[in-house]
Amino acid sequence: MRPSMPSRFAPHFTLALVSALFAQSGAFAAPTAGTQATLAILETTDIHSNVVGYDYFKLSSDASLGLDRTATLIAQARKDFPNTLLFDNGDTIQGTALADYQALVKPVKCDEQLGIYKVMQRLGYDGAGVGNHDFNYGLGFLAQVSGQRFDVDGKPTDRSCAGPGFPVVLANVHGSKTGQPLFAPYAIIDKKVRATGADGKPVEATVKVGIIGFTTPTILAWDKRWLEGRITTEGLVESAKRYLPEMRAKGAEVVVAISHGGLDASPYSPTMENGNYYLAQVPGIDALLLGHSHVLFPNAASTVPQFNLPNVDKARGTVFGVPTVMANLWGKNLGVIQLALRHDGKGWTVDKGRTVVETRSTQQVDKSYVAADPQVMELVRAEHEATIRYVKTPVGRTDFRMSSYFADVGDSSAIQVVNQAQTDYVRAYVAANLPQYKGVPVLSMAAAFKSGNAGVGDYTDVLDGDLALNNAADLYLYPNALYAVKMDGAGLKAWLEKAAGRFNTIDPSRAEPQELINPAFPSYNFDTVTSPRLSYEIDVTRAPGQRIRKLLLDGKPVADGQAFLVATNNYRASGGGNFPGLDGSKTVVASPDASRDVLIEYIRKAKRLTRGANGAQRSWHFAKVKTAGPVVFHAAPGKIALARAAGLSNVAVLREDDGQGKGFALYAVDLSQ
Amino acid sequence: MMGWRRRAGLALLLALLAGGASAGELPAAGVPDQPCARDDGPSALRTGLAYRNGDGIGRDAAAAVACLERAAAQSVPQAMFILSHMVEEGEGSARDPAAARRWLQRAADLDYPEALQEQAMLEADPRRAAELLREAAHALRHRAQEHAGPAQGR
């Protein structure tokens, strides 16, 4: 087969032997009227660099995702259909630690092919579009790995680097300097097909398949720092109206639109994120490949608003009659549009009535997954193993074990360093950017994200010794960004009151054991401060909402109107957990930096964490009270020494097996100490 | 004169009687004489939060719900996320955990990272929870790239 490109892009695309190949491949006799063929268009989308099914932070395989399993679906589809074309719809080169490694840590060299492209070329991809996340590492990297020469900044690079080995098309993004499309807007592929002649006999023929790419125009906002002033975007409809007639004029008999976006029936705008509801209405598209939204289409059961619109047939997979597919994400699915083609003696046309659209899943009916294609791992084993080494690279050391087994009773060994990192970040940010908050005390809230909810092994537990990137994921589980809110003293107290809902109300007069922890209140909502400036008591004998006592800043009672900046995360600042007053309206810092990365940077700078400096500070204690009976809680067995090391002399183990059959031990806390 | 809430309630009742909405659907928004009825999405969100917090305006949870519904009807996921909590707790409306889940799902459908994270936290299946967290991370990256700087200070 032969891709041909618009003439002004030919120099950018390094398939110099294309013309020679074409001379040989054009040898088929023209099909006679009535010749029929089936052509299956296969789509992957939003692979996000999940080349193999692996979680680089848990350092374990993950069968639920990865192009290595999609490869098996592709191989099966090629057995099922006589003629196939395989396309990817972008968001291809970003999304895993492997991608970061190849882009940022040890960037691929000009003559090296990106890991995912090595695999895609081997899998025989026929073309690809570009997604918004493909711009995340900047235009220079994108140009390099996709074998392009972008003329956007100064002068274009002298030579093209190793590209993906198949055409990449994008029609609606232009260089500001040249006004020309950044990539070839379209390509026309001479696809050899096995067909059936009008006489019923098998024949070989060629179908000219045009592919045209679109991406969401919102890239300009999302990657402003890389793209502002360098590129412009055009509406999907405008680009389609410009190029589709040109493609037809150049002989395209079948046109496939590879559009990284979903559907939106809001009034059309050239800058809308998901403009494909309108793209589908532009005449001349025979198959529409969607992406970006991370969902499946067709799907008769879908409740997703974008698939419950007029003229969208979510069961058959059509949008305004155009066969359409979206193959979910991370290689979990393969989209298939089975086009029935008929030749009228002059050219091929699509019989839309006989078109079938489906998606195929790597997960089978019995919930197991199809086998991975072992060749995929072999192709990227070096990159994969280098990424694992990178994730395990120490960024610092800790001389104490950082764990959450006793966080509910005051162990801050896995919490203080998070608060320190967050506080440092906000202080520096305020000093540099928010002079109006100079002098406002900065506090930080953090919680133990793991506390046995998912079983006895579900705790944060980082051993003393080297701290690597994957340890940071244990210390900070959630994919949050660092945010800070401005609160007054009353708001701060209300926040702490809500957090103290973690505890049941204890009756001091009861002689029977009383459970300390309210299981309906998750540990990730038990926000605590670990600042030497702030102190408070939690009186668990009082009703929720009345438990915070002796709230002091620098030894003085906190006034209701006193201002604070509180470092937290986007989830809490935006209303997660339904904390009073926290709903996004108090946010004063919405950092682009991930909370986990802020922690990693703090550890990197600190180099060595010590318990005294980073794991022993507490701002809160239980209000002292003598109880007639024991106050008990459950945690993993065999850990009492960690409570001792944390200075919790009021904690005792009652039974190493609490008798509830889940492997937990029963501990007691003496509230009188 | 009939208060806006009574009139809104009557309008909703009439709509239900006319078959305009089923009991399982999310409440209709934008009844003309409700607070925020003519506001655009961001304005309705701001006013709704102000009503909820008593921020420069009398605290009124029902008015907050009306405004946030208005914002939600205009595809503001933050409003949907807050509504999910208010409806869950019966704040400004009848307690309705099923409606709370639907609001959360609607916010998640719009790729709102906090909604995806909350769904992950509520998810019993660890594999599905992990997927939702990855989705939240991905969605947050859009925002991170877009807002590479501080929010507007108050």
PDB file of all heavy atoms in Angstrom, chain A residues 50 133 136 222 294 329 332 429 480 570-571 578 583 585 590, chain B residues 52-53 78 114 117-118 131 134-135 138 141 145 149-150 154:
ATOM      1  N   ASN A  50       0.693   3.112  27.378  1.00  0.00           N
ATOM      2  CA  ASN A  50       0.616   1.813  28.056  1.00  0.00           C
ATOM      3  C   ASN A  50       1.025   0.735  27.065  1.00  0.00           C
ATOM      4  O   ASN A  50       0.204   0.004  26.522  1.00  0.00           O
ATOM      5  CB  ASN A  50      -0.802   1.573  28.591  1.00  0.00           C
ATOM      6  CG  ASN A  50      -1.100   2.439  29.790  1.00  0.00           C
ATOM      7  OD1 ASN A  50      -0.603   2.177  30.893  1.00  0.00           O
ATOM      8  ND2 ASN A  50      -1.874   3.498  29.589  1.00  0.00           N
ATOM      9  N   HIS A 133      -2.774  15.180  24.498  1.00  0.00           N
ATOM     10  CA  HIS A 133      -1.657  14.862  25.387  1.00  0.00           C
ATOM     11  C   HIS A 133      -0.349  14.629  24.631  1.00  0.00           C
ATOM     12  O   HIS A 133       0.721  14.632  25.242  1.00  0.00           O
ATOM     13  CB  HIS A 133      -1.992  13.645  26.255  1.00  0.00           C
ATOM     14  CG  HIS A 133      -2.945  13.990  27.360  1.00  0.00           C
ATOM     15  ND1 HIS A 133      -2.561  14.702  28.464  1.00  0.00           N
ATOM     16  CD2 HIS A 133      -4.263  13.748  27.516  1.00  0.00           C
ATOM     17  CE1 HIS A 133      -3.598  14.874  29.273  1.00  0.00           C
ATOM     18  NE2 HIS A 133      -4.651  14.307  28.710  1.00  0.00           N
ATOM     19  N   ASN A 136       2.004  17.314  25.300  1.00  0.00           N
ATOM     20  CA  ASN A 136       2.377  17.608  26.687  1.00  0.00           C
ATOM     21  C   ASN A 136       3.869  17.820  26.908  1.00  0.00           C
ATOM     22  O   ASN A 136       4.268  18.533  27.834  1.00  0.00           O
ATOM     23  CB  ASN A 136       1.915  16.486  27.618  1.00  0.00           C
ATOM     24  CG  ASN A 136       0.439  16.520  27.935  1.00  0.00           C
ATOM     25  OD1 ASN A 136      -0.102  15.577  28.469  1.00  0.00           O
ATOM     26  ND2 ASN A 136      -0.249  17.605  27.597  1.00  0.00           N
ATOM     27  N   TRP A 222      -4.760  23.990  27.203  1.00  0.00           N
ATOM     28  CA  TRP A 222      -4.177  22.965  28.068  1.00  0.00           C
ATOM     29  C   TRP A 222      -2.645  22.955  28.027  1.00  0.00           C
ATOM     30  O   TRP A 222      -2.000  22.604  29.003  1.00  0.00           O
ATOM     31  CB  TRP A 222      -4.726  21.588  27.690  1.00  0.00           C
ATOM     32  CG  TRP A 222      -6.170  21.414  28.063  1.00  0.00           C
ATOM     33  CD1 TRP A 222      -6.852  22.108  29.021  1.00  0.00           C
ATOM     34  CD2 TRP A 222      -7.100  20.497  27.498  1.00  0.00           C
ATOM     35  NE1 TRP A 222      -8.138  21.671  29.077  1.00  0.00           N
ATOM     36  CE2 TRP A 222      -8.320  20.685  28.162  1.00  0.00           C
ATOM     37  CE3 TRP A 222      -7.007  19.528  26.495  1.00  0.00           C
ATOM     38  CZ2 TRP A 222      -9.451  19.929  27.856  1.00  0.00           C
ATOM     39  CZ3 TRP A 222      -8.138  18.782  26.198  1.00  0.00           C
ATOM     40  CH2 TRP A 222      -9.344  18.983  26.880  1.00  0.00           C
ATOM     41  N   HIS A 294     -12.492   8.647  26.486  1.00  0.00           N
ATOM     42  CA  HIS A 294     -12.216   7.449  27.286  1.00  0.00           C
ATOM     43  C   HIS A 294     -13.465   6.607  27.532  1.00  0.00           C
ATOM     44  O   HIS A 294     -13.674   6.102  28.630  1.00  0.00           O
ATOM     45  CB  HIS A 294     -11.584   7.831  28.635  1.00  0.00           C
ATOM     46  CG  HIS A 294     -10.207   8.413  28.517  1.00  0.00           C
ATOM     47  ND1 HIS A 294      -9.402   8.650  29.600  1.00  0.00           N
ATOM     48  CD2 HIS A 294      -9.491   8.792  27.434  1.00  0.00           C
ATOM     49  CE1 HIS A 294      -8.239   9.162  29.208  1.00  0.00           C
ATOM     50  NE2 HIS A 294      -8.279   9.258  27.889  1.00  0.00           N
ATOM     51  N   LEU A 329      -9.879   3.321  26.090  1.00  0.00           N
ATOM     52  CA  LEU A 329      -8.549   3.870  26.413  1.00  0.00           C
ATOM     53  C   LEU A 329      -7.599   2.752  26.851  1.00  0.00           C
ATOM     54  O   LEU A 329      -8.037   1.639  27.134  1.00  0.00           O
ATOM     55  CB  LEU A 329      -8.639   4.921  27.534  1.00  0.00           C
ATOM     56  CG  LEU A 329      -8.794   4.426  28.973  1.00  0.00           C
ATOM     57  CD1 LEU A 329      -8.621   5.584  29.934  1.00  0.00           C
ATOM     58  CD2 LEU A 329     -10.138   3.768  29.214  1.00  0.00           C
ATOM     59  N   LYS A 332      -7.531  -1.097  26.105  1.00  0.00           N
ATOM     60  CA  LYS A 332      -8.484  -2.067  26.654  1.00  0.00           C
ATOM     61  C   LYS A 332      -9.419  -2.615  25.585  1.00  0.00           C
ATOM     62  O   LYS A 332      -9.979  -3.681  25.744  1.00  0.00           O
ATOM     63  CB  LYS A 332      -9.315  -1.409  27.758  1.00  0.00           C
ATOM     64  CG  LYS A 332      -8.502  -1.004  28.982  1.00  0.00           C
ATOM     65  CD  LYS A 332      -9.213   0.039  29.821  1.00  0.00           C
ATOM     66  CE  LYS A 332     -10.253  -0.523  30.718  1.00  0.00           C
ATOM     67  NZ  LYS A 332      -9.704  -1.228  31.869  1.00  0.00           N
ATOM     68  N   TYR A 429       5.487  29.729  47.416  1.00  0.00           N
ATOM     69  CA  TYR A 429       4.596  30.259  46.384  1.00  0.00           C
ATOM     70  C   TYR A 429       4.056  31.626  46.774  1.00  0.00           C
ATOM     71  O   TYR A 429       4.004  32.559  45.965  1.00  0.00           O
ATOM     72  CB  TYR A 429       3.438  29.289  46.126  1.00  0.00           C
ATOM     73  CG  TYR A 429       2.723  29.630  44.850  1.00  0.00           C
ATOM     74  CD1 TYR A 429       3.117  29.070  43.648  1.00  0.00           C
ATOM     75  CD2 TYR A 429       1.692  30.556  44.842  1.00  0.00           C
ATOM     76  CE1 TYR A 429       2.503  29.410  42.465  1.00  0.00           C
ATOM     77  CE2 TYR A 429       1.068  30.914  43.661  1.00  0.00           C
ATOM     78  CZ  TYR A 429       1.477  30.330  42.477  1.00  0.00           C
ATOM     79  OH  TYR A 429       0.875  30.693  41.302  1.00  0.00           O
ATOM     80  N   ASN A 480      -3.450  13.733  43.251  1.00  0.00           N
ATOM     81  CA  ASN A 480      -3.925  15.085  43.546  1.00  0.00           C
ATOM     82  C   ASN A 480      -2.949  16.143  43.071  1.00  0.00           C
ATOM     83  O   ASN A 480      -1.787  15.850  42.818  1.00  0.00           O
ATOM     84  CB  ASN A 480      -4.101  15.264  45.065  1.00  0.00           C
ATOM     85  CG  ASN A 480      -5.286  14.462  45.584  1.00  0.00           C
ATOM     86  OD1 ASN A 480      -5.206  13.801  46.616  1.00  0.00           O
ATOM     87  ND2 ASN A 480      -6.380  14.518  44.877  1.00  0.00           N
ATOM     88  N   ASN A 570      -6.399  19.326  45.709  1.00  0.00           N
ATOM     89  CA  ASN A 570      -7.531  19.778  44.898  1.00  0.00           C
ATOM     90  C   ASN A 570      -8.830  19.115  45.319  1.00  0.00           C
ATOM     91  O   ASN A 570      -9.901  19.724  45.264  1.00  0.00           O
ATOM     92  CB  ASN A 570      -7.264  19.488  43.419  1.00  0.00           C
ATOM     93  CG  ASN A 570      -7.174  17.995  43.124  1.00  0.00           C
ATOM     94  OD1 ASN A 570      -6.278  17.319  43.630  1.00  0.00           O
ATOM     95  ND2 ASN A 570      -8.082  17.457  42.337  1.00  0.00           N
ATOM     96  N   TYR A 571      -8.754  17.855  45.760  1.00  0.00           N
ATOM     97  CA  TYR A 571      -9.976  17.142  46.147  1.00  0.00           C
ATOM     98  C   TYR A 571     -10.646  17.829  47.333  1.00  0.00           C
ATOM     99  O   TYR A 571     -11.832  18.143  47.302  1.00  0.00           O
ATOM    100  CB  TYR A 571      -9.621  15.688  46.484  1.00  0.00           C
ATOM    101  CG  TYR A 571     -10.783  14.886  47.016  1.00  0.00           C
ATOM    102  CD1 TYR A 571     -11.793  14.455  46.167  1.00  0.00           C
ATOM    103  CD2 TYR A 571     -10.870  14.559  48.367  1.00  0.00           C
ATOM    104  CE1 TYR A 571     -12.869  13.729  46.658  1.00  0.00           C
ATOM    105  CE2 TYR A 571     -11.927  13.824  48.863  1.00  0.00           C
ATOM    106  CZ  TYR A 571     -12.922  13.412  47.999  1.00  0.00           C
ATOM    107  OH  TYR A 571     -13.996  12.698  48.497  1.00  0.00           O
ATOM    108  N   ASN A 578     -16.967  16.846  51.556  1.00  0.00           N
ATOM    109  CA  ASN A 578     -18.017  17.750  52.046  1.00  0.00           C
ATOM    110  C   ASN A 578     -17.639  18.397  53.363  1.00  0.00           C
ATOM    111  O   ASN A 578     -18.397  18.351  54.335  1.00  0.00           O
ATOM    112  CB  ASN A 578     -19.348  17.002  52.180  1.00  0.00           C
ATOM    113  CG  ASN A 578     -20.521  17.958  52.237  1.00  0.00           C
ATOM    114  OD1 ASN A 578     -20.446  19.083  51.748  1.00  0.00           O
ATOM    115  ND2 ASN A 578     -21.614  17.510  52.850  1.00  0.00           N
ATOM    116  N   ASP A 583     -15.419  24.327  49.055  1.00  0.00           N
ATOM    117  CA  ASP A 583     -16.197  24.014  47.860  1.00  0.00           C
ATOM    118  C   ASP A 583     -15.605  24.669  46.623  1.00  0.00           C
ATOM    119  O   ASP A 583     -16.272  24.863  45.627  1.00  0.00           O
ATOM    120  CB  ASP A 583     -17.648  24.469  48.052  1.00  0.00           C
ATOM    121  CG  ASP A 583     -17.737  25.914  48.529  1.00  0.00           C
ATOM    122  OD1 ASP A 583     -16.761  26.670  48.326  1.00  0.00           O
ATOM    123  OD2 ASP A 583     -18.765  26.286  49.129  1.00  0.00           O
ATOM    124  N   SER A 585     -14.581  27.746  46.579  1.00  0.00           N
ATOM    125  CA  SER A 585     -14.673  29.205  46.695  1.00  0.00           C
ATOM    126  C   SER A 585     -13.566  29.794  47.572  1.00  0.00           C
ATOM    127  O   SER A 585     -13.363  30.998  47.585  1.00  0.00           O
ATOM    128  CB  SER A 585     -16.038  29.603  47.253  1.00  0.00           C
ATOM    129  OG  SER A 585     -16.217  29.098  48.558  1.00  0.00           O
ATOM    130  N   ALA A 590      -4.048  27.164  43.123  1.00  0.00           N
ATOM    131  CA  ALA A 590      -4.408  25.935  42.412  1.00  0.00           C
ATOM    132  C   ALA A 590      -3.175  25.535  41.615  1.00  0.00           C
ATOM    133  O   ALA A 590      -3.002  25.940  40.476  1.00  0.00           O
ATOM    134  CB  ALA A 590      -5.605  26.170  41.504  1.00  0.00           C
TER     135      ALA A 590
ATOM    136  N   ARG B  52     -24.812  29.141  49.993  1.00  0.00           N
ATOM    137  CA  ARG B  52     -24.513  27.993  50.863  1.00  0.00           C
ATOM    138  C   ARG B  52     -23.657  28.408  52.055  1.00  0.00           C
ATOM    139  O   ARG B  52     -23.856  27.954  53.167  1.00  0.00           O
ATOM    140  CB  ARG B  52     -23.793  26.912  50.057  1.00  0.00           C
ATOM    141  CG  ARG B  52     -23.671  25.602  50.831  1.00  0.00           C
ATOM    142  CD  ARG B  52     -22.894  24.558  50.066  1.00  0.00           C
ATOM    143  NE  ARG B  52     -22.928  23.285  50.769  1.00  0.00           N
ATOM    144  CZ  ARG B  52     -21.962  22.388  50.739  1.00  0.00           C
ATOM    145  NH1 ARG B  52     -20.876  22.620  50.020  1.00  0.00           N
ATOM    146  NH2 ARG B  52     -22.070  21.260  51.411  1.00  0.00           N
ATOM    147  N   ASN B  53     -22.678  29.289  51.776  1.00  0.00           N
ATOM    148  CA  ASN B  53     -21.730  29.673  52.826  1.00  0.00           C
ATOM    149  C   ASN B  53     -22.166  30.916  53.587  1.00  0.00           C
ATOM    150  O   ASN B  53     -21.494  31.304  54.540  1.00  0.00           O
ATOM    151  CB  ASN B  53     -20.351  29.927  52.201  1.00  0.00           C
ATOM    152  CG  ASN B  53     -19.761  28.665  51.604  1.00  0.00           C
ATOM    153  OD1 ASN B  53     -19.930  27.580  52.151  1.00  0.00           O
ATOM    154  ND2 ASN B  53     -19.090  28.790  50.469  1.00  0.00           N
ATOM    155  N   GLN B  78     -18.398  21.412  38.661  1.00  0.00           N
ATOM    156  CA  GLN B  78     -18.187  21.743  40.073  1.00  0.00           C
ATOM    157  C   GLN B  78     -19.522  21.851  40.801  1.00  0.00           C
ATOM    158  O   GLN B  78     -19.652  21.418  41.956  1.00  0.00           O
ATOM    159  CB  GLN B  78     -17.404  23.058  40.177  1.00  0.00           C
ATOM    160  CG  GLN B  78     -16.996  23.404  41.599  1.00  0.00           C
ATOM    161  CD  GLN B  78     -16.276  24.746  41.680  1.00  0.00           C
ATOM    162  OE1 GLN B  78     -15.858  25.301  40.662  1.00  0.00           O
ATOM    163  NE2 GLN B  78     -16.125  25.268  42.876  1.00  0.00           N
ATOM    164  N   GLU B 114     -12.190  15.581  40.738  1.00  0.00           N
ATOM    165  CA  GLU B 114     -12.607  15.301  42.109  1.00  0.00           C
ATOM    166  C   GLU B 114     -13.753  14.293  42.140  1.00  0.00           C
ATOM    167  O   GLU B 114     -13.853  13.485  43.067  1.00  0.00           O
ATOM    168  CB  GLU B 114     -13.018  16.600  42.806  1.00  0.00           C
ATOM    169  CG  GLU B 114     -11.853  17.551  43.069  1.00  0.00           C
ATOM    170  CD  GLU B 114     -11.416  18.366  41.851  1.00  0.00           C
ATOM    171  OE1 GLU B 114     -12.062  18.261  40.800  1.00  0.00           O
ATOM    172  OE2 GLU B 114     -10.424  19.103  41.959  1.00  0.00           O
ATOM    173  N   GLN B 117     -12.257  10.913  41.527  1.00  0.00           N
ATOM    174  CA  GLN B 117     -11.576  10.444  42.736  1.00  0.00           C
ATOM    175  C   GLN B 117     -12.585   9.968  43.780  1.00  0.00           C
ATOM    176  O   GLN B 117     -12.389   8.933  44.421  1.00  0.00           O
ATOM    177  CB  GLN B 117     -10.702  11.556  43.325  1.00  0.00           C
ATOM    178  CG  GLN B 117      -9.973  11.117  44.589  1.00  0.00           C
ATOM    179  CD  GLN B 117      -8.955  12.126  45.070  1.00  0.00           C
ATOM    180  OE1 GLN B 117      -8.478  12.953  44.302  1.00  0.00           O
ATOM    181  NE2 GLN B 117      -8.613  12.056  46.335  1.00  0.00           N
ATOM    182  N   GLU B 118     -13.659  10.728  43.914  1.00  0.00           N
ATOM    183  CA  GLU B 118     -14.655  10.310  44.906  1.00  0.00           C
ATOM    184  C   GLU B 118     -15.303   8.989  44.503  1.00  0.00           C
ATOM    185  O   GLU B 118     -15.564   8.126  45.341  1.00  0.00           O
ATOM    186  CB  GLU B 118     -15.716  11.395  45.085  1.00  0.00           C
ATOM    187  CG  GLU B 118     -16.579  11.178  46.313  1.00  0.00           C
ATOM    188  CD  GLU B 118     -17.000  12.497  46.933  1.00  0.00           C
ATOM    189  OE1 GLU B 118     -16.118  13.256  47.371  1.00  0.00           O
ATOM    190  OE2 GLU B 118     -18.202  12.773  46.956  1.00  0.00           O
ATOM    191  N   GLU B 131      -8.614   2.153  38.325  1.00  0.00           N
ATOM    192  CA  GLU B 131      -8.881   2.755  37.009  1.00  0.00           C
ATOM    193  C   GLU B 131      -9.427   4.170  37.159  1.00  0.00           C
ATOM    194  O   GLU B 131      -9.027   5.086  36.438  1.00  0.00           O
ATOM    195  CB  GLU B 131      -9.892   1.909  36.234  1.00  0.00           C
ATOM    196  CG  GLU B 131      -9.292   0.642  35.657  1.00  0.00           C
ATOM    197  CD  GLU B 131     -10.255  -0.080  34.742  1.00  0.00           C
ATOM    198  OE1 GLU B 131     -11.395   0.388  34.559  1.00  0.00           O
ATOM    199  OE2 GLU B 131      -9.862  -1.106  34.211  1.00  0.00           O
ATOM    200  N   ARG B 134      -6.760   6.565  37.974  1.00  0.00           N
ATOM    201  CA  ARG B 134      -5.969   6.906  36.789  1.00  0.00           C
ATOM    202  C   ARG B 134      -6.723   7.890  35.906  1.00  0.00           C
ATOM    203  O   ARG B 134      -6.148   8.807  35.327  1.00  0.00           O
ATOM    204  CB  ARG B 134      -5.620   5.649  35.990  1.00  0.00           C
ATOM    205  CG  ARG B 134      -4.618   4.769  36.699  1.00  0.00           C
ATOM    206  CD  ARG B 134      -4.225   3.583  35.848  1.00  0.00           C
ATOM    207  NE  ARG B 134      -3.587   4.005  34.599  1.00  0.00           N
ATOM    208  CZ  ARG B 134      -2.667   3.315  33.969  1.00  0.00           C
ATOM    209  NH1 ARG B 134      -2.261   2.163  34.464  1.00  0.00           N
ATOM    210  NH2 ARG B 134      -2.158   3.741  32.846  1.00  0.00           N
ATOM    211  N   GLU B 135      -8.026   7.699  35.843  1.00  0.00           N
ATOM    212  CA  GLU B 135      -8.854   8.644  35.094  1.00  0.00           C
ATOM    213  C   GLU B 135      -8.802  10.032  35.733  1.00  0.00           C
ATOM    214  O   GLU B 135      -8.733  11.050  35.044  1.00  0.00           O
ATOM    215  CB  GLU B 135     -10.309   8.158  35.049  1.00  0.00           C
ATOM    216  CG  GLU B 135     -10.552   7.038  34.070  1.00  0.00           C
ATOM    217  CD  GLU B 135     -10.559   7.558  32.638  1.00  0.00           C
ATOM    218  OE1 GLU B 135     -11.185   8.577  32.358  1.00  0.00           O
ATOM    219  OE2 GLU B 135      -9.880   6.958  31.799  1.00  0.00           O
ATOM    220  N   HIS B 138      -5.585  11.670  34.915  1.00  0.00           N
ATOM    221  CA  HIS B 138      -5.601  12.151  33.524  1.00  0.00           C
ATOM    222  C   HIS B 138      -6.414  13.440  33.420  1.00  0.00           C
ATOM    223  O   HIS B 138      -5.982  14.421  32.805  1.00  0.00           O
ATOM    224  CB  HIS B 138      -6.196  11.060  32.633  1.00  0.00           C
ATOM    225  CG  HIS B 138      -6.476  11.501  31.241  1.00  0.00           C
ATOM    226  ND1 HIS B 138      -7.696  12.020  30.862  1.00  0.00           N
ATOM    227  CD2 HIS B 138      -5.700  11.541  30.141  1.00  0.00           C
ATOM    228  CE1 HIS B 138      -7.646  12.340  29.580  1.00  0.00           C
ATOM    229  NE2 HIS B 138      -6.456  12.058  29.120  1.00  0.00           N
ATOM    230  N   ARG B 141      -4.761  16.477  34.750  1.00  0.00           N
ATOM    231  CA  ARG B 141      -3.685  16.994  33.905  1.00  0.00           C
ATOM    232  C   ARG B 141      -4.209  18.060  32.942  1.00  0.00           C
ATOM    233  O   ARG B 141      -3.507  19.002  32.620  1.00  0.00           O
ATOM    234  CB  ARG B 141      -3.024  15.849  33.140  1.00  0.00           C
ATOM    235  CG  ARG B 141      -1.718  16.274  32.549  1.00  0.00           C
ATOM    236  CD  ARG B 141      -0.875  15.127  32.071  1.00  0.00           C
ATOM    237  NE  ARG B 141       0.238  15.673  31.330  1.00  0.00           N
ATOM    238  CZ  ARG B 141       1.489  15.676  31.764  1.00  0.00           C
ATOM    239  NH1 ARG B 141       1.779  15.133  32.904  1.00  0.00           N
ATOM    240  NH2 ARG B 141       2.444  16.200  31.030  1.00  0.00           N
ATOM    241  N   GLN B 145      -2.556  21.762  33.148  1.00  0.00           N
ATOM    242  CA  GLN B 145      -1.950  22.462  32.023  1.00  0.00           C
ATOM    243  C   GLN B 145      -2.653  23.786  31.778  1.00  0.00           C
ATOM    244  O   GLN B 145      -2.056  24.756  31.352  1.00  0.00           O
ATOM    245  CB  GLN B 145      -2.040  21.601  30.765  1.00  0.00           C
ATOM    246  CG  GLN B 145      -1.376  20.246  30.889  1.00  0.00           C
ATOM    247  CD  GLN B 145       0.089  20.360  31.178  1.00  0.00           C
ATOM    248  OE1 GLN B 145       0.776  21.123  30.542  1.00  0.00           O
ATOM    249  NE2 GLN B 145       0.582  19.629  32.160  1.00  0.00           N
ATOM    250  N   GLY B 149      -0.937  28.137  37.405  1.00  0.00           N
ATOM    251  CA  GLY B 149      -0.763  29.325  38.221  1.00  0.00           C
ATOM    252  C   GLY B 149      -1.791  29.346  39.316  1.00  0.00           C
ATOM    253  O   GLY B 149      -2.547  28.399  39.467  1.00  0.00           O
ATOM    254  N   PRO B 150      -1.809  30.417  40.086  1.00  0.00           N
ATOM    255  CA  PRO B 150      -2.707  30.455  41.221  1.00  0.00           C
ATOM    256  C   PRO B 150      -4.146  30.706  40.796  1.00  0.00           C
ATOM    257  O   PRO B 150      -4.386  31.294  39.749  1.00  0.00           O
ATOM    258  CB  PRO B 150      -2.186  31.654  42.023  1.00  0.00           C
ATOM    259  CG  PRO B 150      -1.581  32.556  40.995  1.00  0.00           C
ATOM    260  CD  PRO B 150      -1.014  31.642  39.948  1.00  0.00           C
ATOM    261  N   ARG B 154      -8.865  35.643  46.925  1.00  0.00           N
ATOM    262  CA  ARG B 154     -10.072  36.293  47.451  1.00  0.00           C
ATOM    263  C   ARG B 154      -9.682  37.503  48.268  1.00  0.00           C
ATOM    264  O   ARG B 154      -8.636  37.540  48.832  1.00  0.00           O
ATOM    265  CB  ARG B 154     -10.855  35.319  48.326  1.00  0.00           C
ATOM    266  CG  ARG B 154     -11.611  34.304  47.531  1.00  0.00           C
ATOM    267  CD  ARG B 154     -11.948  33.146  48.409  1.00  0.00           C
ATOM    268  NE  ARG B 154     -12.647  33.599  49.623  1.00  0.00           N
ATOM    269  CZ  ARG B 154     -13.982  33.730  49.756  1.00  0.00           C
ATOM    270  NH1 ARG B 154     -14.759  33.517  48.743  1.00  0.00           N
ATOM    271  NH2 ARG B 154     -14.524  34.076  50.902  1.00  0.00           N
TER     272      ARG B 154
END
